């Protein structure tokens, strides 16, 4: 498989995952973070949800960048 094909497949997969993850994160934020009184804890929840997509995407990004 060529590098160009891997990048196309990876980009479509990543876009799909991020859209689904964003919807999931919004629902989770409404049901958890918005009910928390502590501003610090709310910040931690939002930071974790905001950065949470990167960890599952790392193997895909490494696969996309693999040489032919």
């Amino acid at each position: 498989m060529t590098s160009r094909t891997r990048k196309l497949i990876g980009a479509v997969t990543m876009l799909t995952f991020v859209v689904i993850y964003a919807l999931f994160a919004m629902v989770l934020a409404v049901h958890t973070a918005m009910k928390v009184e502590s501003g610090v804890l709310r910040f931690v929840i939002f930071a974790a949800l905001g950065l949470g997509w990167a960890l599952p995407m790392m193997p895909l990004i490494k696969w996309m960048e693999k040489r032919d």
Side-chain angles (χ1 to χ4, degrees):
M1 183 177 298
T2 66
S3 175
R4 188 173 181 158
T5 306
R6 275 195 307 275
K7 288 181 182 182
L8 176 64
I9 293 169
V12 170
T13 303
M14 201 178 312
L15 183 65
T16 304
F17 177 81
V18 168
V19 167
I20 292 169
Y21 181 81
L23 294 172
F24 170 76
M26 285 187 285
V27 169
L28 198 59
V30 167
H31 290 293
T32 59
M34 298 309 290
K35 296 179 182 177
V36 173
E37 296 293 325
S38 170
V40 174
L41 184 56
R42 187 179 293 179
F43 174 78
V44 169
I45 292 170
F46 280 126
L49 287 173
L51 296 173
W53 67 271
L55 193 59
M57 287 290 103
M58 289 308 292
L60 178 66
I61 293 169
K62 287 180 183 177
W63 175 75
M64 287 168 57
E65 294 300 319
K66 190 171 66 171
R67 295 208 180 253
D68 291 336

